[in-house]
Amino acid sequence: MSIAIHKVHRAMAQITMVNTDKQGNLILSELELKIIFALLKKNLELVYEIDGLKEIAFAAQKNNQMDLVQHVCERLDELEAQLT
């Protein structure tokens, strides 16, 4: 099993690390909040798409539609390829 981190998650982690004080408080400027908000929206899109694809693949497999399962798995592979 490989462990991969999407660039969105890496960016959120970097902003959090840089902007956390010694007491563990996250201190963000308005610009950083805008960046975090955009990253959170992208994360939502990724989760929504991946979960949807998995649900489609599961339903297709239950209905023995293996061509659809293969198509969905190809899209999931494309998303996985974006991980760094």
Side-chain angles (χ1 to χ4, degrees):
M1 173 184 183
S2 66
I3 297 175
I5 300 172
H6 193 277
K7 60 186 174 184
V8 169
H9 302 124
R10 189 173 302 282
M12 287 191 292
Q14 183 179 21
I15 290 170
T16 301
M17 184 177 70
V18 169
N19 293 289
T20 301
D21 67 14
K22 293 180 181 180
Q23 290 75 36
N25 300 310
L26 184 60
I27 302 169
L28 298 172
S29 68
E30 188 173 329
L31 175 61
E32 290 155 336
L33 280 173
K34 287 180 182 180
I35 294 169
I36 287 285
F37 183 70
L39 292 169
L40 287 170
K41 285 175 60 176
K42 180 61 178 171
N43 182 66
L44 171 63
E45 294 167 7
L46 287 167
V47 169
Y48 188 80
E49 182 176 7
I50 291 168
D51 285 351
L53 289 169
K54 288 180 178 182
E55 287 181 25
I56 291 168
F58 178 72
Q61 187 174 18
K62 288 189 71 135
N63 291 310
N64 202 28
Q65 296 178 318
M66 299 314 290
D67 55 334
L68 181 55
V69 172
Q70 183 177 0
H71 176 72
V72 170
C73 288
E74 288 172 1
R75 178 61 184 137
L76 287 168
D77 287 342
E78 290 172 7
L79 290 171
E80 185 179 320
Q82 296 175 9
L83 301 177
T84 55

